[in-house]
Amino acid sequence: MIDLYAFATPNSVKVPIALEELGLDYTLHPVNVRKGEQKADAFLALNPGGKVPVLVEDGFVLTESAAILVHLAETTGKLIPTDAQGRGRVFEQLFFHASGLSPAFGQAGFFLRFAAEPQPIAIERFSAEARRTLGLLDAVLADRPFVAGDSFSIADITHFGWLWRRAFPGIDFDQTPHVARWYARIESRPAVQRAIARTEALVPQD
Ligand SMILES: N[C@@H](CCC(=O)N[C@@H](CS)C(=O)NCC(=O)O)C(=O)O
């Protein structure tokens, strides 16, 4: 039995995408990060880090979207290659996402939208870093159909999460045609569409 605690956020959506692609049943529990529910005691007992997503599988609690994707891929033997070089390429993209693209997009969005006082140097620094990391991804996709090689993998899912929410840091695909083509292909996958619909439905309509 799989329970997923999530919201309509870039890191959350990655997990429903993987679960839908793998054909696994799961129950989605909304954690409204706009209302601060991720800092409530009940949720902190699950994840002391106070962030979504959190996966609970038969009592096993796992945080960090990349770790969750790796766990799902390893337990099913899908969405990750079996050969060492293929796996290396997948991990290369997962780490690049977690340490590079994801923080740049997150900080750029924060300083653009939430900072109490305008912080031009921070906006400039993180927006440039967001564009730089997207440019690196574009160069990768000039040579490959998927971010880690010839087949769709958890590496595609991890990048898709933040690119799905690219409006938050004010990023578009105008200068990255390979990313634009890849994104459209991933977005059109039926499992991805089901996952997005379920994730968006977590937001209350009020
Ligand atoms: N490295 C974590 C980051 C998780 C994260 O930043 N989650 C955001 C939503 S995308 C969150 O919970 N934000 C609420 C907060 O920081 O209070 C992962 O990949 O799972």
Side-chain angles (χ1 to χ4, degrees), residues 9-12 14 33 38-39 50-53 64-66:
T9 73
N11 289 304
S12 292
K14 302 167 185 178
V33 298
Q38 74 280 21
K39 307 299 180 203
K51 289 183 189 288
V52 288
E64 289 297 327
S65 59

Side-chain angles (χ1 to χ4, degrees), residues 9-18 21 53 64-70 79 89-103 105 134 137 147-148 152-165 182-183 186 192:
T9 73
N11 289 304
S12 292
V13 74
K14 302 167 185 178
V15 185
I17 291 175
E21 288 282 352
E64 289 297 327
S65 59
I68 296 169
L69 293 178
V70 171
L79 299 178
R89 284 274 170 262
V90 167
F91 287 114
E92 183 177 49
Q93 290 301 320
L94 288 176
F95 287 117
F96 166 59
H97 180 89
S99 65
L101 192 147
S102 172
F105 273 52
L134 191 67
L137 192 60
V147 301
F152 178 75
S153 74
I154 52 174
D156 295 285
I157 296 174
T158 205
H159 283 308
F160 184 88
W162 255 112
L163 299 190
W164 176 60
R165 282 296 190 241
W182 164 88
Y183 184 90
I186 305 298
V192 174

Side-chain angles (χ1 to χ4, degrees), residues 10-11 100-114 126 130 162 165 168-169:
N11 289 304
L101 192 147
S102 172
F105 273 52
Q107 299 296 344
F110 174 83
F111 284 106
L112 205 56
R113 297 176 193 284
F114 296 149
F126 290 116
W162 255 112
R165 282 296 190 241
F168 177 61

Side-chain angles (χ1 to χ4, degrees), residues 11-45:
N11 289 304
S12 292
V13 74
K14 302 167 185 178
V15 185
I17 291 175
L19 291 164
E20 293 286 343
E21 288 282 352
L22 293 167
L24 297 173
D25 283 336
Y26 58 104
T27 305
L28 260 180
H29 304 273
V31 180
N32 191 332
V33 298
R34 295 178 197 166
K35 291 191 174 159
E37 290 176 6
Q38 74 280 21
K39 307 299 180 203
D41 288 347
F43 186 75
L44 289 175

Side-chain angles (χ1 to χ4, degrees), residues 68-91:
I68 296 169
L69 293 178
V70 171
H71 173 73
L72 292 173
E74 303 239 297
T75 51
T76 58
K78 294 179 181 160
L79 299 178
I80 193 164
T82 50
D83 65 294
Q85 290 191 359
R87 294 170 76 81
R89 284 274 170 262
V90 167
F91 287 114

